[in-house]
């Protein structure tokens, strides 16, 4: 067999998870210089840039949601795909053991996490044969927050703010703009979209995701699609959704469009949204040894250019220090737009914890607490008292907890909820009624936030798996922005309404 194949795939996984490709770096660097200094957008991008640098320096996961590993493989005729598939699965399990991938594969019926990223449908591996005498493997790691913002349209369709989208390229453009507007900051903007015009519901989504394997700076060989891509990129930033949905000049860093034939009765437009943590790399391998002969998307002879040439997140002196546990007066003094630095005890909780807290008593005292929507990457470490160390800990998408959050704030006296993408009307009402705030942390900044965590002080509900457990963390100067306050104000609602008006103005 190919003696170096396993090691090559493992290297590919680790690099993809920890080191963004140059085209994405260049786009993010351009975004960074496009947002005026001192704005929320600029602060968010500075944290993101610092996070990108930290991930490379420490070979840590760029984002704690290391996503669904999707491999696209081309092999010479006669290659043993059964053996390769097995090797790839073992490499995924090994990368998970090493903390480079978070255990992300969950049984959809029982909710049990397999712990090693293996299970039915995980990872996704697609093989194709080609007539070259080498192996090509491309990998994309796409997380759940951006996956949840994917959209598929059956046109003709009526779209809010845009009117009817017909079965024309103009109609397609409306669908794409609508999908980006609908995503707001939930998919960790600025993102990139892969689009498929046509196909059926299944092949449309697949082809849309395949577009994300294209380099951001390439030009579509089909001039009609090249024009459409350019036209979207020319207009989309007028939406002013901005990084993390905070408002700003950069909403999208790439738009890649493909087309498939369709049935006469169907016309689908499928949009795959990827976040700024656009982890995509590839390798070519010697077909006789499995050794890496070339890296795709990046040239290893070129050194990695740091995203930041200065210290990173700079304090303005206007930040508000919060020390948990908090009382209602502490949080009622905060208003939308305030930048806060949280210190003290923080508890993580996401889907499984919220569902549990609705039916059972809390395993810890949550009065005055800070609840962080986060599924961290946590590894065993016998050198620290708790035996655990957090290696990546950015926020997860909060809107999933909307059905529970208001009730949990009321029942347990939670004062601060931290996540990303904002929450809805029920939570906003609960924040006002019970004196609590929602803070938006910077999505994907897993390395940056891991450094604010000084120690793990315990864990509850570990049966749910490490990402879903309730971790007890001691944090210091954890920065976030108040985006929903205790007075009924929501930056997310405001930006959605404002960008909706821009969408109407853009038209097509
Ligand atoms: S950057 Fe945001 S959307 Fe992307 S994987 Fe991380 S948490 Fe999910």
């Amino acid at each position: 067999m190919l003696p170096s194949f396993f090691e090559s795939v493992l290297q590919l996984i680790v690099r993809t998870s920890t080191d963004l490709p140059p085209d994405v770096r260049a786009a993010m660097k351009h975004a960074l210089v496009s947002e005026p200094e001192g704005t929320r957008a600029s602060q968010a991008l500075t944290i993101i840039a610092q996070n990108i640098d930290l991930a490379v320096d420490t070979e840590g996961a760029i984002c704690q949601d290391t996503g669904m590993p999707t491999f696209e493989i081309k092999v010479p005729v006669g290659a043993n795909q059964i053996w390769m598939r097995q090797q790839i699965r073992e490499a995924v399990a090994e990368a998970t053991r090493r903390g480079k991938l978070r255990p992300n594969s969950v049984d959809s019926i029982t909710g049990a996490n397999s712990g090693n990223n293996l299970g039915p449908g995980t990872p996704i591996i697609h093989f194709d044969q080609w007539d070259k005498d080498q192996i090509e493997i491309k990998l994309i790691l796409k997380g759940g927050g951006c996956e949840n913002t994917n959209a598929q349209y059956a046109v003709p369709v009526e779209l809010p703010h845009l009117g009817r989208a017909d079965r024309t390229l103009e109609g397609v453009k409306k669908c794409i703009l609508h999908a980006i507007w609908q995503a707001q900051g939930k998919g960790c903007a600025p993102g990139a979209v892969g689009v498929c015009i046509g196909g059926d519901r299944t092949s449309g989504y697949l082809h849309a995701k395949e577009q994300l394997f294209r380099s951001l700076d390439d030009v579509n060989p089909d001039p009609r699609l090249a024009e459409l891509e350019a036209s979207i990129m020319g207009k989309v930033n007028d939406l002013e959704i901005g990084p993390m949905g905070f408002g700003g000049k950069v909403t999208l860093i790439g738009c890649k469009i493909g087309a498939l034939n369709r049935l006469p009765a169907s016309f689908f437009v499928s949009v795959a949204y990827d976040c700024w943590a656009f982890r995509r790399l590839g390798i070519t391998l010697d077909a006789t040894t499995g050794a890496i002969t070339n890296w795709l998307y990046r040239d290893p002879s070129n050194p990695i250019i740091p995203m930041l040439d200065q210290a990173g997140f700079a304090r303005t002196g206007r930040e508000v220090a919060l020390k948990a546990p908090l009382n209602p007066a502490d949080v009622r003094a905060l208003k939308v737009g305030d930048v806060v630095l949280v210190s003290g005890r923080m508890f993580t909780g996401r889907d499984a914890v919220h569902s549990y807290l609705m039916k059972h008593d809390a395993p810890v005292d949550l009065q005055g607490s800070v609840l962080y929507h986060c599924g961290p990457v946590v590894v065993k470490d016998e050198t620290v008292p708790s035996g655990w160390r957090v290696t990546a800990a950015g926020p997860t998408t909060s809107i999933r907890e909307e059905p529970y959050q208001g009730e949990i704030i009321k029942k347990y006296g939670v004062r601060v909820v931290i996540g990303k993408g904002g929450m809805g009307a029920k939570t906003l009402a609960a924040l006002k009624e019970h004196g609590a705030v929602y803070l938006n942390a910077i999505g994907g900044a897993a390395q940056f936030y891991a450094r604010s965590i000084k120690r793990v002080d315990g864990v509850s509900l570990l049966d749910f798996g490490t990402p879903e457990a309730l971790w007890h963390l001691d944090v210091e100067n954890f920065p976030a922005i108040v985006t929903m306050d205790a007075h009924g104000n929501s930056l997310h609602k405001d930006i959605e309404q404002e960008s909706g008006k821009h969408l109407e103005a853009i038209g097509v």
Side-chain angles (χ1 to χ4, degrees):
M1 292 297 171
L2 313 175
S4 303
F5 187 84
F6 172 86
E7 193 52 42
S8 298
V9 176
L10 186 56
Q11 268 194 55
L12 172 65
I13 297 168
V14 172
R15 269 229 135 110
T16 308
S17 180
T18 60
D19 186 2
L20 283 186
D23 59 316
V24 179
R25 282 170 167 270
M28 290 304 292
K29 194 131 188 167
H30 183 259
L32 189 61
V33 297
S34 303
E35 299 289 358
E37 261 182 51
T39 57
R40 288 186 296 261
S42 165
Q43 282 182 308
L45 287 171
T46 307
I47 288 177
I48 287 171
Q50 195 173 349
N51 187 75
I52 294 169
D53 288 343
L54 282 169
V56 179
D57 291 349
T58 59
E59 215 184 56
I62 295 165
C63 178
Q64 77 290 337
D65 184 353
T66 53
M68 174 64 83
T70 303
F71 294 88
E72 296 280 335
I73 304 163
K74 295 202 175 84
V75 293
V77 175
N80 186 339
Q81 296 178 17
I82 297 171
W83 179 85
M84 284 185 191
R85 187 181 293 274
Q86 189 52 35
Q87 293 289 300
I88 291 168
R89 288 170 62 83
E90 283 174 22
V92 165
E94 178 58 24
T96 312
R97 249 190 310 277
R98 295 186 189 183
K100 306 300 179 187
L101 296 179
R102 183 179 70 180
N104 254 358
S105 179
V106 171
D107 183 308
S108 291
I109 296 161
T110 65
N113 192 316
S114 70
N116 59 4
N117 271 310
L118 302 181
T122 322
I124 296 169
I125 304 174
H126 296 139
F127 279 101
D128 260 326
Q129 285 189 338
W130 63 357
D131 54 14
K132 294 187 189 174
D133 194 20
Q134 61 182 14
I135 301 162
E136 180 187 273
I137 307 180
K138 291 181 177 173
L139 169 62
I140 203 162
L141 299 171
K142 185 171 182 296
C146 53
E147 186 69 12
N148 290 347
T149 62
N150 288 0
Q152 191 171 60
Y153 302 85
V155 287
V157 61
E158 278 296 324
L159 297 172
H161 302 295
L162 287 165
R164 195 180 64 246
D166 294 314
R167 292 181 167 191
T168 60
L169 288 186
E170 278 210 346
V172 170
K173 193 160 149 189
K174 284 187 179 181
C175 293
I176 298 169
L177 287 171
H178 181 264
I180 296 160
W181 172 75
Q182 193 168 245
Q184 293 287 309
K186 298 183 191 77
C188 291
V193 289
V195 179
C196 174
I197 306 170
D200 67 7
R201 285 205 183 269
T202 311
S203 64
Y205 262 136
L206 180 61
H207 199 59
K209 192 170 182 181
E210 281 169 355
Q211 300 310 303
L212 297 172
F213 282 105
R214 286 173 51 198
S215 181
L216 289 178
D217 46 16
D218 73 359
V219 176
N220 199 312
D222 181 329
R224 298 162 303 175
L225 299 182
E227 195 183 327
L228 188 54
E229 289 173 2
S231 158
I232 294 281
M233 291 309 292
K235 289 194 171 203
V236 73
N237 289 330
D238 293 348
L239 290 175
E240 295 185 16
I241 293 168
M244 290 296 128
F246 289 168
K249 299 187 179 315
V250 185
T251 298
L252 202 71
I253 56 172
C255 176
K256 301 290 156 188
I257 306 173
L260 294 177
N261 279 14
R262 58 182 173 82
L263 294 171
S266 310
F267 194 126
F268 297 110
V269 179
S270 309
V271 181
Y273 188 104
D274 209 341
C275 50
W276 69 259
F278 190 162
R279 291 150 292 176
R280 174 247 294 132
L281 277 177
I283 45 178
T284 52
L285 307 180
D286 182 301
T288 56
T289 65
I292 296 173
T293 52
N294 189 32
W295 283 87
L296 308 175
Y297 307 109
R298 66 191 306 272
D299 177 355
S301 64
N302 281 342
I304 294 162
I305 300 163
M307 294 290 293
L308 285 179
D309 41 21
Q310 29 77 20
F313 178 69
R315 296 196 196 172
T316 61
R318 294 193 300 275
E319 292 80 13
V320 182
L322 290 182
K323 179 93 165 74
L326 294 137
N327 60 53
D330 294 331
V331 296
R332 287 205 191 272
L334 297 169
K335 55 187 188 319
V336 161
D338 286 344
V339 176
V340 300
L341 299 170
V342 182
S343 299
R345 175 56 51 87
M346 186 183 278
F347 297 106
T348 65
R350 37 185 267 162
D351 308 55
V353 164
H354 281 74
S355 169
Y356 180 90
L357 291 178
M358 295 293 282
K359 299 181 217 125
H360 306 88
D361 289 337
V364 291
D365 181 5
L366 291 171
Q367 191 64 40
S369 66
V370 177
L371 181 59
Y372 183 24
H373 294 163
C374 171
V377 180
V378 190
V379 292
K380 290 220 156 120
D381 182 351
E382 300 310 329
T383 66
V384 294
S386 69
W388 297 100
R389 185 165 47 87
V390 174
T391 62
T396 192
T397 309
S398 298
I399 196 69
R400 297 197 309 273
E401 316 313 340
E402 180 65 10
Y404 317 114
Q405 201 66 78
E407 191 59 32
I408 285 169
I409 289 169
K410 177 179 169 191
K411 187 171 170 192
Y412 297 105
V414 172
R415 290 278 162 250
V416 174
V417 175
I418 306 180
K420 72 169 172 87
M423 304 196 72
K426 264 175 76 181
T427 301
L428 189 60
L431 297 176
K432 188 172 178 186
E433 188 178 348
H434 305 292
V437 288
Y438 176 83
L439 308 180
N440 205 117
I442 308 307
Q447 291 303 316
F448 178 88
Y449 284 118
R451 276 147 190 81
S452 297
I453 296 169
K454 294 307 159 194
R455 66 187 182 119
V456 177
D457 200 31
V459 58
S460 309
L461 308 175
L462 190 54
D463 289 356
F464 295 155
T466 54
E468 294 283 347
L470 190 154
W471 293 93
H472 317 177
L473 309 175
D474 279 349
V475 304
E476 206 173 281
N477 293 328
F478 180 108
I481 297 177
V482 179
T483 52
M484 296 167 70
D485 65 22
H487 309 286
N489 302 307
S490 166
L491 179 72
H492 308 283
K493 198 171 68 181
D494 294 349
I495 298 281
E496 185 171 327
Q497 283 170 358
E498 278 304 303
S499 57
K501 286 184 204 154
H502 295 317
L503 190 58
E504 270 164 38
I506 287 172
V508 279

